[in-house]
Amino acid sequence: MSGNGISLEARELTRVYRMGSEEIRAVDGVSLTIGRGEFVSFVGPSGSGKTTLVNLLGCLDNPTSGELHLAGRSIFGSGHILSEKDLTRVRRELFGYIFQNFYLIPTLTVRENVALPLAFYRKPETEEEVDRLIGMLGLEQRRNHLPRQISGGEMQRVAIARALVNRPEILLADEPTGNLDTKRTEEIGEVLQELNRSRGLTIVMVTHNPGLARLGERIVEMRDGRAFEA
Amino acid sequence: MITKFQVAYRNLLRKKMRTLLTLVGIMLSSWVLVSLLGFNRGYERSLNHDIENMGYQLMVMAKGCPYEAATMMLQGGTGLRYIDQTMVDSIAKEPEVDKITPILMQAFFDPNKGDGGGIAGYYGVDPATFPGMKPFFRFRQGGWFRDETAAEAVMGYEAAELEQREVGDMIIVPEKNVTLKVVGILERTGTQDDGTIFVPLKTLQKIAATDKITTIGIKLKKDADSAKLEAELYKLPDVQVVSFTQVKQTIMKLISTARVMVFSVAVIAILIAMVGVVNTILMSVLEQQQEIGILKTMGAMPGDIFRLVWTETLIFCGCGGVAGIGLAFVLARMTDILMRRILPYAPGGGLVAIDLRLALLTLTVIVTVGLASGIYPAWKAGRVRPLESIRSDGR
Ligand SMILES: Nc1ncnc2c1ncn2[C@@H]1O[C@H](COP(=O)(O)OP(=O)(O)OP(=O)(O)O)[C@@H](O)[C@H]1O
Ligand SMILES: [Mg+2]
């Protein structure tokens, strides 16, 4: 998509929450560049602005100021704000998301959950993606199970498959193992690393788990809304 | 793969009890609506059928309120006013008259009929002219009387059914202890005639010890001026003229009051059901904010979510509507009985006539109203922002 190898570029991104007369600068002038195929971990204390930043990068939210370029395209900048529809278009083109809670649809089977995004939007040549991902994430035996019939680790793998079914360029993961034990956390870590290596998937991950964070080639630390790279 | 429709209907299955209750609400309102529409049609049709099958369009009787006469008849046959039979000949001379027949109505109290007795209605009819008025009468058994003074009777379908009579049986006129031989039993006509016992006029006059009659039935010539004849008849002393067109109008007027009331009930039922739909859908939208949010991160547009939620409403109203209409078909007979209880006058025959057209009309109404009530919850769901819904999750 972008020829120059840059997947994502943020300049002076700022997000201010206004609570009455109080202003919280949750993200305070963050500039960073993430290249295609990079695996970047965001760490930092609670309330330091990790989620807020990652949401801005993932077009889930509009910044108060600053610029964002994605795949060579200017998304936010010079005060222009995208409508919900435009944000949706950018999101479904470029991103897959996973969260601490898996948000599987409880009435749909594993396979149906994975295929669900295709009901709304479908990139060309994604027909076989559902089964390929199910196979790759080791969910064959579970394909016809309902979410309540599988383990937390499996649920997160279903969520990963669902996030990838439309072949996104960037996977955004906000504390993907926050609800999982050590063993499952390691499993998910391996899956993410494998996806990054074999498919060249760009991964932006927030985590409190130092072991998991170390899987990233880069670790960005957030403090009071600012980003510091080790 | 999975379609939006599947997502919508599986979602409805999630809260089974709530879905079921809402469905029952829609079903009941659709049942009420289609039954009422069917009743509206059926009632008028049966009334027309009744009136056409009277055979005559005008009836002349002694002055007095016809309802009063009817009540008196029901109370035991005494007190009925009579008119002279000679009047028949003078009316027959009027140019508008096609056919004319004298009738003597008598009602006797039969202590053996039903629980605690009942009224047996006897019609003294003229064998020469009465059958001509009712060419549509069909005999299940036997035929008309042998002559005009025979001690014979022709029984209406239900009258015969009730007493398990066959041709050749002897029946006893209550109160009078006169024996009559059954010579004919009529097929069902779906009118009041079904409950009547017909006897030759002269025979009944002898039994009732009178030479008078109570009623004259008049059949008009084709295209004759009914109003002119009515005016003419009113000149006769002490009679009143009942025109069945008028009777029909009066009855329809009486019915329309009942109709307005029942329609209000239907409208209220539909409104309540729709409030139920809005409530159910809105609740599920609120409960599933996060899921809706996640659909949006997957690339669902506000319009997609709107349609998804709207589809749920559509499924609700479609299923509930169809079930209600089915129920109405199945319970038409019961509705009929219920209606007869609350109506001032009910003709014979089916009161509730539901056909495919009415069913489709009802379904359209239910679905339209349902879709209208789905707009708000669907719009609300479409506006859910992915971020807030995911954040609203006590991180
Ligand atoms: N919707 C909001 N309205 C107001 N303030 C908010 C909102 N979202 C976040 N904040 C504030 O912004 C700051 C950064 O929050 P954020 O969720 O980005 O932190 P975080 O680093 O992800 O924390 P955690 O590790 O606990 O998830 C916090 O002070 C938080 O209270
Ligand atoms: Mg966070």
Side-chain angles (χ1 to χ4, degrees):
Chain A
M1 288 162 206
S2 86
N4 57 12
I6 292 176
S7 191
L8 186 155
E9 191 178 358
R11 248 180 260 143
E12 290 298 316
L13 270 188
T14 301
R15 178 67 164 96
V16 180
Y17 292 111
R18 290 199 173 77
M19 312 274 282
S21 59
E22 205 188 341
E23 275 195 357
I24 301 167
R25 301 182 78 81
V27 170
D28 193 2
V30 171
S31 300
L32 56 87
T33 306
I34 295 174
R36 289 186 79 186
E38 276 192 305
F39 187 158
V40 184
S41 303
F42 286 80
V43 297
S46 186
S48 56
K50 303 181 296 293
T51 297
T52 308
L53 175 63
V54 159
N55 285 341
L56 291 177
L57 298 180
C59 295
L60 289 168
D61 195 10
N62 276 297
T64 312
S65 66
E67 289 174 25
L68 180 68
H69 294 264
L70 287 173
R73 240 172 95 192
S74 169
I75 304 298
F76 306 121
S78 17
H80 111 239
I81 279 179
L82 292 189
S83 71
E84 189 54 39
K85 267 190 188 170
D86 290 333
L87 283 177
T88 304
R89 283 198 192 96
V90 176
R91 287 196 296 251
R92 67 189 185 185
E93 202 56 49
L94 294 176
F95 289 100
Y97 306 84
I98 56 173
F99 303 92
Q100 175 172 353
N101 295 320
F102 322 117
Y103 301 116
L104 301 182
I105 308 295
T107 47
L108 302 182
T109 64
V110 164
R111 190 169 188 283
E112 288 165 339
N113 264 291
V114 173
L116 187 55
L118 303 179
F120 300 102
Y121 177 67
R122 172 165 220 164
K123 285 189 193 164
E125 291 161 49
T126 46
E127 283 80 22
E128 280 116 47
E129 209 66 349
V130 175
D131 291 313
R132 196 181 311 155
L133 284 164
I134 285 178
M136 189 179 153
L137 290 163
L139 294 165
E140 288 104 333
Q141 305 301 315
R142 298 277 178 265
R143 55 196 300 144
N144 294 320
H145 286 58
L146 289 172
R148 65 180 143 78
Q149 297 166 324
I150 61 178
S151 75
E154 285 168 331
M155 284 194 217
Q156 191 60 295
R157 276 186 271 156
V158 176
I160 292 173
R162 180 177 68 182
L164 297 182
V165 74
N166 253 328
R167 293 176 182 268
E169 199 173 326
I170 307 166
L171 178 69
L172 228 139
D174 191 351
E175 297 191 33
T177 61
N179 278 345
L180 300 177
D181 60 24
T182 321
K183 187 164 173 294
R184 308 291 186 186
T185 299
E186 276 170 20
E187 278 174 26
I188 294 296
E190 280 163 25
V191 165
L192 291 178
Q193 200 161 35
E194 170 63 20
L195 284 166
N196 174 247
R197 288 197 178 139
S198 67
R199 301 186 142 210
L201 182 70
T202 310
I203 298 181
V204 175
M205 178 177 71
V206 172
T207 182
H208 278 127
N209 185 316
L212 193 65
R214 272 194 295 277
L215 295 178
E217 306 151 277
R218 290 166 61 192
I219 300 181
V220 178
E221 196 183 337
M222 292 289 292
R223 256 176 285 137
D224 296 329
R226 292 169 182 278
F228 303 92
E229 194 153 350
Chain B
M1 288 291 158
I2 180 108
T3 63
K4 281 178 236 178
F5 181 78
Q6 282 169 299
V7 177
Y9 96 85
R10 298 259 190 99
N11 194 30
L12 288 176
L13 292 181
R14 199 184 302 184
K15 293 267 152 76
K16 290 199 183 64
M17 202 58 202
R18 192 163 73 193
T19 301
L20 193 74
L21 287 177
T22 315
L23 265 178
V24 166
I26 300 171
M27 186 178 86
L28 289 181
S29 62
S30 118
W31 171 52
V32 170
L33 184 64
V34 76
S35 298
L36 280 175
L37 291 174
F39 165 73
N40 211 20
R41 244 177 101 243
Y43 189 90
E44 188 158 1
R45 214 171 59 180
S46 299
L47 193 59
N48 278 333
H49 176 254
D50 257 21
I51 285 172
E52 274 156 30
N53 284 11
M54 285 302 285
Y56 30 87
Q57 295 97 343
L58 288 181
M59 219 162 78
V60 174
M61 15 200 235
K63 204 163 224 146
C65 171
Y67 299 109
E68 186 192 351
T71 347
M72 277 181 198
M73 261 183 76
L74 291 176
Q75 278 163 358
T78 48
L80 259 183
R81 294 166 191 243
Y82 297 101
I83 48 181
D84 265 345
Q85 206 178 329
T86 51
M87 214 175 265
V88 176
D89 301 324
S90 60
I91 295 175
K93 292 192 190 94
E94 298 289 342
E96 291 87 0
V97 176
D98 177 20
K99 287 180 183 145
I100 187 161
T101 189
I103 298 169
L104 174 63
M105 293 183 195
Q106 293 286 291
F108 302 109
F109 182 77
D110 182 354
N112 299 322
K113 189 174 172 180
D115 292 330
I119 298 296
Y122 282 77
Y123 269 41
V125 298
D126 177 16
T129 54
F130 186 76
M133 290 275 187
K134 309 261 189 182
F136 46 84
F137 269 7
R138 296 274 172 273
F139 281 89
R140 197 153 63 93
Q141 282 184 351
W144 285 110
F145 325 112
R146 259 180 305 120
D147 62 68
E148 57 176 13
T149 54
E152 293 173 346
V154 167
M155 300 183 86
Y157 182 87
E158 271 160 26
E161 190 87 320
L162 195 72
E163 297 185 27
Q164 295 288 310
R165 294 296 179 194
E166 301 271 340
V167 163
D169 286 358
M170 304 304 280
I171 56 173
I172 296 172
V173 181
E175 295 179 34
K176 303 293 178 188
N177 282 326
V178 177
T179 308
L180 299 172
K181 187 180 174 197
V182 179
V183 293
I185 292 172
L186 295 170
E187 289 281 10
R188 193 189 283 284
T189 62
T191 68
Q192 313 290 347
D193 288 333
D194 289 349
T196 306
I197 299 170
F198 300 92
V199 177
L201 179 60
K202 292 220 164 85
T203 312
L204 192 61
Q205 280 174 334
K206 209 170 112 197
I207 295 170
T210 177
D211 58 352
K212 297 185 186 244
I213 54 174
T214 55
T215 318
I216 301 170
I218 299 168
K219 189 172 180 179
L220 299 179
K221 282 190 181 133
K222 232 184 149 121
D223 306 322
D225 184 353
S226 169
K228 184 165 164 275
L229 180 62
E230 280 172 53
E232 208 56 44
L233 293 176
Y234 266 118
K235 288 182 192 152
L236 296 169
D238 294 328
V239 301
Q240 64 174 351
V241 184
V242 177
S243 131
F244 286 114
T245 343
Q246 268 170 28
V247 169
K248 184 184 156 188
Q249 277 160 8
T250 311
I251 291 174
M252 288 315 280
K253 226 177 272 167
L254 282 172
I255 289 304
S256 75
T257 324
R259 215 152 56 172
V260 166
M261 208 183 75
V262 185
F263 261 108
S264 325
V265 173
V267 168
I268 291 169
I270 290 175
L271 286 181
I272 291 175
M274 290 316 153
V275 170
V277 174
V278 174
N279 181 52
T280 303
I281 302 283
L282 205 55
M283 253 164 71
S284 95
V285 166
L286 292 179
E287 283 167 5
Q288 293 166 33
Q289 295 241 0
Q290 292 170 4
E291 280 166 31
I292 294 170
I294 217 73
L295 293 182
K296 285 205 155 173
T297 70
M298 281 175 204
M301 288 284 182
D304 288 323
I305 304 294
F306 185 95
R307 276 190 294 277
L308 200 64
V309 175
W310 230 29
T311 309
E312 289 185 26
T313 333
L314 187 68
I315 295 173
F316 255 134
C317 296
C319 294
V322 168
I325 291 164
L327 193 70
F329 270 111
V330 173
L331 296 185
R333 192 71 210 126
M334 204 191 84
T335 315
D336 210 283
I337 294 166
L338 214 77
M339 287 292 188
R340 279 174 199 282
R341 287 244 172 112
I342 58 173
L343 289 176
Y345 169 83
L351 290 187
V352 182
I354 305 168
D355 61 7
L356 203 65
R357 208 177 54 89
L358 280 187
L360 285 178
L361 180 70
T362 305
L363 198 61
T364 314
V365 170
I366 298 277
V367 168
T368 310
V369 179
L371 284 182
S373 53
I375 289 178
Y376 176 67
W379 174 79
K380 193 138 172 100
R383 273 175 35 116
V384 168
R385 302 272 307 269
L387 191 57
E388 274 131 41
S389 57
I390 290 164
R391 267 188 186 281
S392 72
D393 169 53
R395 313 164 278 151

